[in-house]
Every structure is written in C-alpha cells, then in structure tokens.
Amino acid sequence: MAIEITFPDGNVKAFDAPVTGMDIARGISPGLAKKAAVITVDGEQWDLSRPIDRNAAISIITRDKPEALEVIRHDAAHVLAQAVQELFPGTQITFGPATDVGFYYDFARDTPFTEADLEAIEQRMRDIVKRDLPITREVWAREAAIAHFEAQGESFKAEWIREGIGADEELTIYKQGDNWLDMCLGPHLPSTGKLGSAFKLIRVGGVYWRGDANNAQLQRIYGVCFANDDELKAYLKQVEEAEKRDHRKLAKQLDLFHQQEEAPGMVFWHPKGWAIWQAVEQYVRGVYRDSGYQEVRGPQIMDVSLWKKSGHWDNYHENMFFTESEKRTYAVKPMNCPGHVQIYNAGLHSYRDLPIRYAEFGGCHRNEPSGALHGIMRVRAFTQDDGHIFCTEAQVESEVTAFHRQAMKVYEDFGFTDLSIKIALRPDKRLGSDAVWDRAESALRAALRAAGVEWTELPGEGAFYGPKIEYHLKDSIGRAWQVGTMQVDFMMPERLGAEYVDEQSQRQHPVMLHRAIVGSMERFIGILIEHHAGSLPYWLSPVQAVVAPIVSDADGYAGEVTQALRQAGVRVQSDLRNEKINYKIREHATQKVPVIVVVGRKEAEERTVTLRLRGTEQQETLPLADAVRRLVDGV
RNA sequence: GCCGGGAUAGCUCAGUCGGUAGAGCGACUGAUUCGUAAUCAGUAGGUCGCAGGUUCGAUUCCUGUUCCCGGCACCA
C-alpha cells in the first residue's frame, strides 16, 4: 500500500513504506536535510525521525523559520535538564517548556544552584550540543513509564503521569543519546547539535511544583535562546537598554521620589515627582468632567462592620490594615466603592437620575505580600482614578462602551497604543448565582463587541463580586501591568442597600460599575517613566524649562525671563550658578529637561532668548514674547 | 508569604584572607565670567542596614531581624 505525501507546492509523491521527515528532506537535498528542524504533518508538528504511515500533506520547517524557534527553545530546556543531571546527580527533573524569549526547566534539588553553577551548567550544555546526540521519540506504556521514573527516583515525573495525564493519552518519551530521557509531548530537533550556540542561562529562581504555594518548592533555571548568535546578541543588548529605563533608577537620577524602610510599599514623592503626578491628575480630572462624573471624597477609615457587609472582610481581611479606637475596629479602606455607595445612599434616587457617576482620586491601602512589592508599580498605599457608575441593567452596555472609548483615548494621549484587553471571568470564590454571572459576563462581551475590539478571556480571574475588563500595559522589560479596569457588579448594591425607584414606584437595586483608567496613579506614573525612558512629553515634564545665563551679567535678565515664563504657567527654573554654559547644558540635558533657555549678554541687550530643545543640538534665537508663546503652546 | 541573592559617604562603586575604610561624581569654600554635554584648587562628609554572638579585637565570621533585588505565589 502506497503512502501519498503532498508537498506544499501541491506535488504528490508516493512511498512504498512509512517514511520519516528526514527521509523526505534527504530525498530533496542534503542541504535541506541539514537545515531541517521539524516537519508539519497535516498541520501538526512532528519530529523528523517519526515515521509517517498515512497519506498526509507535509511541510518541512527549516531551522531559520519562526515556527522552528519554539522547538529549538524547547530543546534547549531538555539539554539544560540533561546537563544538570550529569553535573548534579540526584537532581529530579519536572517540566521545562519554551518561553517568549527562551526556556526554563524546573528542578527538585535540596542545595540551591549558584551563579557559578549556572556557568558550569551552560558549559555542559554546550558540550552536549557538541556531542550531537540523536533525539529519538518512543511511545511507552503508562505503567512502564511510572515504573521507570520511580526506579530512577523521579517522583515528580511519576506523580505527573498518575495525576496529570489521562489513562487514554499517548505517553511519549524522548531520548537524548542512550543514557538520558525525559517524558515530553515534543516535537524535538533530530539531534542536540541542531540546537546551535545562541543560548545563555540568565537566572535561577524559586517556583512551586504545579504552581501551587502549598506544594514543594523547586528551582527554576531560566535561559534565553535564539536561532542564531546575532539575535541573541540583539536581545541581550535590548535587555541592557531596558534596564536603564527602570523607573526606580530613573526616579533616583531625576529626583522624583524615594521609598524607605519605615514605610515599605509606600512612596515619598519629591517635588519633581509630584509635579508629574499633578499633571496626570489634572488631566484625568478633565476626563472626569468631560465624561459626566461628579468628584466626591470618602473617609479613609470606616468601621469594620461595613467591610463585613460588603464581603471584603471575608475575602481580603488578611490583606487589609486595621486600626482601633475606643473599642471600635476600623479598616483602612482598600477600595473606594463602599464609600461611594454611602454617598449614593444618602439620598433617594429615581430611575430618572441614572446613571449617576461618582469619581474620586481615592487613596487606598492594601497589605500586599512583601514579595509582591516592586518600586511604585506594586505598593501598599496607592491612589486610584476610581469611579463608580450606578445605572440600570439596560444602561450597562452603553456605559461600558463609552468607558472603553474614553480609556483608549486617554492611553493614546499618554503615548500608549499597545494595550492588551482581557475579560476576567467568574472565580471559584464568588458571590451571587451563576445566572447573575452569566448576565454580567455577557454584558461585558457585548459592550466590547459593540466597541469593535478584540480581547482574550481569563477564566477564574474575576473579582469576587463580578467579572471585569482589564487593560494591560507592558513595562520596559516586558512585564505586563494592569492599568485600567471596568467591572460589572450586581452584588455590592444589594449588599450595601443601594436603591432607586423605578417607573412603577418600586424600589430596585441599581447595577454598579467599578472603573478606572490609569488604575493606580503610582503604577501609571511608573509605567510612564519607563515608557518614555524618563524623557516625559513636554506637558508631563516636571521641569519644562530651565533658564541658564552664560555670564553673571545676564542674571538679572534671566530672572525676568523666568518670571515671564512662570507667570505664563510654564514649570520653569533658573540656573544662576557660577558654572560654564557647557556644564549647565550637560546637567539639564542629563536631567531630561525639554527646553533649555540660554541667555547671554547679547540676549539681554536684544531682549531675546536662545532655545535648545531636548534631543537636538540646534539653537534658535527669538524674541522673549515669542518664546513665551511657544512654551505655553507646548513648544 | 516562599526560595535565592544583597545592604559600605548624598549618588555610583572599590575594599578589608578579622586590626574601626577609599575613589569618582555631588556638597561646601575660594579663584575663574568662560556662547551650547563636565573650569581649577582646597575642605568637609561614613557607629560599613539593625540587634545579638564568637573573638584581645567584628564593617569582615556566625545567628536573628528589617528592607531591597530576582523568581514563584498573591494582586478586590
């Protein structure tokens, strides 16, 4: 019986017996056989060594193709595992997948891996590559695999076969050479030599077996891996550049804020940092006003009974701060919504009043786990650009759609266009019936559909009171941070007794929408700093202009220029120090000031100024009045 | 919170195989008035994160602790 193989160009070739991808590649050209990484068989990636025993459409993927990269990285993980087991006998293997930029492998070993170990392991990996061990696929019986791993002392692998793999699933083993094997879905390269040299081990970190904090702690070794050395080099260069943008580093260099031991997870804003904050806050305040919100302000602490009623205490009391006075316990607010409900409840509302939109720059405290703290991106005291919309169920979709449009406009205004949008769906621990969750989730989907956007869904990640849309931004080294959110909540109004009177004079609970665009002001400013590498756009720059006289004879005129700009609303400083203009230019350029206003004797006599704009070396001399206008208009 | 690493002058960092520390920048003082990315000279500045222990002696070794960094878990 002949096997018909269809090539990508439509040609069909018949074979008398099962053939492997490698056979086919060799049949075409030795060069192709050398470059081949894997083969797709009817759209599915297979090993080149696996016999194709049926009619199939195939395509040989060479090593330089993007589709091959994941296979290469996955191979790197296995080579890493073999290297570790050769160097450190007794270390157990678990899992090791490819990642966006490389790979990792999780090991069980009592002794921690050190930096020096990483170097030795990487060397051994290169050695295994050099040995060019053939990688072969075998299908094993379930019991045989369990017996093998148990005999080897690989209890994690054995556990996974028992608990993680269905009895009817095929169990594949990959051998690297004769003496090492791992259980894996594959596919893999034909031999370790195909991995190449463009990989590097970068760090080791602790992880939990199967991602559960109740389980054993494993050690994860991370590596980066690319198809060739140039790509690896480019990647390492990019990481180096990204590290220079770290908001914690820039905050020190630019004197924006600091944090200290006595207030872990909290921020001391310096004048320049606070100027950025004010620019952001004033902008967002304008958004509130233009989109129909009324700004309000709730108390910072409220009796714990209110948080028990809302459900927050049950779900989050371990992460809340409490304070006591006169035998009463108060919670420092971790959210603004219960406060806003109190404001809503202070009056009687008609359906005609809805939607009612409250907004607040609400300061919240959450006792985040110490290991979660990260600069100003993840803190214990933060301020949300929070808002709550009280509306009818029929109004939800249009409110959510309007919010989405507004949010996207805000991100764009701050220079962000690369956002990912997610809907977090019902978690295991939640309030309310499935029917209510169905309605809430479909309301969010409908609104996003109406707005014409794409999203991904995160099952189990919603808030306990409702599902949410999340807007995610990436920081300079690729970590994603949630900024905005829109949550539909059918529960809180009922729990906290919010009502309105409907057309039939009946009391109803409104739907409550929780929403934020920048999210945490702290985090958003951190992302802004990294995104712009500290060179914030003119309108956000803490110091927009510095007036620098060349000689002290021009100090008086420099003072006049500074006054004129300040009165026009420009955030301006003067630099009258007894230093050369070169020195001043260098310093303010380093400080990323957008405009340096240079005045010498000539400018003082002619009542002009010379502007030097950030990022250029050009100078432009113009009359003072014109310069003021330029700076007011945003240069 | 868990695993690993770290903490030395305002900042960036060096150093002490145990004998109480050093550079550059910055600050201060003086000189210099110099037209677009660092003018010169001098001076001051540190209980080496904190608390115990070992030791004749600890910034160095040990223990604990706080905070920070990386990873995981968590993130209303």
Side-chain angles (χ1 to χ4, degrees):
Chain A
M1 189 184 95
I3 292 164
E4 289 187 353
I5 299 295
T6 308
F7 291 89
D9 61 4
N11 281 338
V12 178
K13 194 172 174 188
F15 292 86
D16 297 339
V19 282
T20 67
M22 189 50 90
D23 293 337
I24 296 170
R26 281 205 195 96
I28 295 170
S29 81
L32 181 63
K34 200 174 167 195
K35 284 198 302 184
V38 283
I39 184 169
T40 59
V41 177
D42 291 334
E44 194 184 323
Q45 284 193 352
W46 280 30
D47 308 279
L48 287 167
S49 60
R50 184 168 166 190
I52 303 165
D53 54 4
R54 55 178 155 90
N55 294 348
I58 63 102
S59 171
I60 291 170
I61 310 292
T62 50
R63 209 180 162 287
D64 54 340
K65 291 285 183 299
E67 304 95 283
L69 193 51
E70 193 181 330
V71 178
I72 294 171
R73 287 171 174 162
H74 189 186
D75 265 44
H78 281 240
V79 171
L80 163 63
Q82 182 174 358
V84 166
Q85 289 203 311
E86 285 183 7
L87 288 171
F88 304 99
T91 302
Q92 289 192 60
I93 50 173
T94 65
F95 286 108
T99 66
D100 286 349
V101 292
F103 59 95
Y104 64 77
Y105 206 107
D106 294 345
F107 299 96
R109 177 181 183 236
D110 291 337
T111 319
F113 291 114
T114 65
E115 289 288 312
D117 291 340
L118 286 195
E119 274 176 47
I121 293 166
E122 191 180 310
Q123 273 316 310
R124 181 58 68 104
M125 286 176 71
R126 295 192 192 285
D127 182 51
I128 293 170
V129 169
K130 210 164 159 192
R131 283 184 239 159
D132 197 19
L133 303 171
I135 303 175
T136 49
R137 176 182 189 270
E138 295 176 6
V139 177
W140 281 22
R142 187 185 174 84
E143 290 310 320
I146 293 173
H148 168 82
F149 285 117
E150 286 194 335
Q152 296 292 311
E154 298 281 3
S155 56
F156 289 94
K157 279 284 177 190
E159 177 188 324
W160 181 247
I161 298 172
R162 283 208 185 86
E163 297 176 15
I165 298 181
D168 51 343
E169 286 179 63
E170 192 174 65
L171 207 151
T172 50
I173 296 289
Y174 279 86
K175 283 189 173 167
Q176 278 168 201
D178 297 327
N179 303 320
W180 194 83
L181 61 79
D182 194 358
M183 180 179 70
C184 180
L185 288 170
H188 280 281
L189 300 171
S191 68
T192 57
K194 288 275 194 298
L195 173 57
S197 59
F199 60 86
K200 183 177 165 61
L201 298 183
I202 50 170
R203 68 175 66 94
V204 55
V207 296
Y208 299 108
W209 167 239
R210 293 164 81 169
D212 187 333
N214 298 311
N215 287 345
Q217 189 125 29
L218 309 174
Q219 296 184 69
R220 175 173 297 175
I221 297 179
Y222 286 88
V224 291
C225 179
F226 293 86
N228 61 63
D229 291 343
D230 287 346
E231 283 173 34
L232 173 65
K233 223 188 255 174
Y235 172 79
L236 294 174
K237 180 88 188 157
Q238 187 196 324
V239 168
E240 204 177 300
E241 287 303 311
E243 279 168 0
K244 287 185 196 155
R245 292 171 167 242
D246 189 310
H247 73 284
R248 293 163 299 191
K249 242 180 219 175
L250 286 167
K252 237 180 229 175
Q253 283 162 22
L254 305 179
D255 194 18
L256 303 178
F257 61 81
H258 84 271
Q259 297 175 280
Q260 67 185 46
E261 268 195 46
E262 290 80 356
M266 312 199 192
V267 187
F268 294 80
W269 289 98
H270 295 12
K272 285 191 205 165
W274 193 246
I276 300 172
W277 178 298
Q278 281 304 316
V280 174
E281 183 174 314
Q282 293 311 323
Y283 169 90
V284 173
R285 181 161 279 134
V287 171
Y288 280 154
R289 193 188 50 230
D290 297 344
S291 44
Y293 289 79
Q294 299 168 276
E295 229 179 289
V296 297
R297 183 98 182 155
Q300 205 64 37
I301 62 172
M302 294 194 281
D303 193 282
V304 72
S305 61
L306 193 62
W307 302 101
K308 287 186 174 165
K309 220 188 280 178
S310 71
H312 288 99
W313 197 90
D314 284 339
N315 284 279
Y316 290 107
H317 67 98
E318 283 181 1
N319 297 307
M320 289 166 69
F321 289 105
F322 297 96
T323 179
E324 273 177 40
S325 173
E326 295 180 331
K327 295 180 187 163
R328 291 182 67 178
T329 305
Y330 300 86
V332 182
K333 71 172 165 165
M335 290 190 86
N336 305 300
C337 38
H340 289 187
V341 174
Q342 306 316 306
I343 295 169
Y344 176 91
N345 287 354
L348 185 60
H349 299 284
S350 155
Y351 70 94
R352 292 197 174 99
D353 301 333
L354 304 183
I356 287 173
R357 306 185 191 91
Y358 291 147
E360 177 176 356
F361 290 98
C364 296
H365 288 75
R366 294 180 187 173
N367 198 1
E368 304 284 3
S370 56
L373 303 179
H374 180 91
I376 61 173
M377 300 291 211
R378 188 83 184 269
V379 287
R380 290 196 174 132
F382 59 97
T383 303
Q384 289 174 308
D385 65 323
D386 207 358
H388 293 95
I389 301 169
F390 297 87
C391 64
T392 65
E393 199 169 334
Q395 292 169 328
V396 168
E397 186 178 320
S398 63
E399 287 297 318
V400 173
T401 308
F403 167 80
H404 172 78
R405 298 218 163 95
Q406 179 62 261
M408 295 309 283
K409 168 77 166 57
V410 169
Y411 298 135
E412 198 185 325
D413 284 351
F414 282 105
F416 301 111
T417 48
D418 182 16
L419 277 114
S420 54
I421 296 165
K422 305 175 182 193
I423 303 182
L425 306 172
R426 68 195 75 186
D428 293 339
K429 202 175 167 191
R430 60 179 182 261
L431 302 175
S433 68
D434 285 350
V436 168
W437 278 87
D438 287 342
R439 272 152 60 205
E441 289 171 355
S442 51
L444 290 183
R445 289 195 190 98
L448 284 187
R449 209 172 292 129
V453 294
E454 288 180 14
W455 69 87
T456 53
E457 300 199 344
L458 306 170
E461 296 200 12
F464 70 89
Y465 50 74
K468 54 182 181 173
I469 299 173
E470 297 178 354
Y471 297 79
H472 292 258
L473 277 179
K474 278 188 180 166
D475 74 5
S476 61
I477 48 178
R479 282 180 285 218
W481 299 95
Q482 183 188 312
V483 282
T485 183
M486 163 56 84
Q487 311 175 2
V488 190
D489 179 2
F490 289 96
M491 306 310 305
M492 207 60 64
E494 192 182 326
R495 290 204 148 216
L496 297 178
E499 293 178 332
Y500 68 95
V501 180
D502 73 5
E503 296 91 321
Q504 279 81 43
S505 290
Q506 300 298 307
R507 293 197 175 218
Q508 304 283 353
H509 295 299
V511 179
M512 194 173 173
L513 304 178
H514 307 243
R515 45 111 291 159
I517 296 180
V518 309
S520 148
M521 291 285 285
E522 285 80 359
R523 171 177 303 173
F524 192 71
I525 291 170
I527 295 171
L528 275 175
I529 292 167
E530 299 202 345
H531 182 68
H532 295 288
S535 293
L536 293 169
Y538 181 78
W539 70 283
L540 291 170
S541 285
V543 178
Q544 296 174 307
V546 169
V547 181
I550 295 168
V551 290
S552 51
D553 287 355
D555 284 1
Y557 178 61
E560 273 184 62
V561 173
T562 307
Q563 261 315 311
L565 288 169
R566 186 166 290 144
Q567 275 167 9
V570 177
R571 291 189 290 273
V572 60
Q573 293 179 355
S574 60
D575 182 356
L576 305 185
R577 290 174 304 173
N578 177 15
E579 295 288 355
K580 287 169 67 171
I581 193 63
N582 284 317
Y583 183 91
K584 295 183 186 179
I585 296 280
R586 178 185 156 79
E587 177 153 306
H588 299 120
T590 307
Q591 286 292 307
K592 304 180 193 298
V593 175
V595 184
I596 302 174
V597 183
V598 178
V599 294
R601 286 204 186 87
K602 190 159 72 84
E603 283 84 355
E605 279 165 21
E606 296 171 354
R607 300 197 63 75
T608 59
V609 297
T610 298
L611 302 184
R612 180 187 168 119
L613 305 185
R614 184 173 60 195
T616 81
E617 289 174 20
Q618 289 166 20
Q619 305 165 36
E620 185 184 355
T621 303
L622 66 171
L624 175 57
D626 293 358
V628 171
R629 211 170 302 123
R630 284 269 303 272
L631 290 177
V632 168
D633 291 347
V635 188

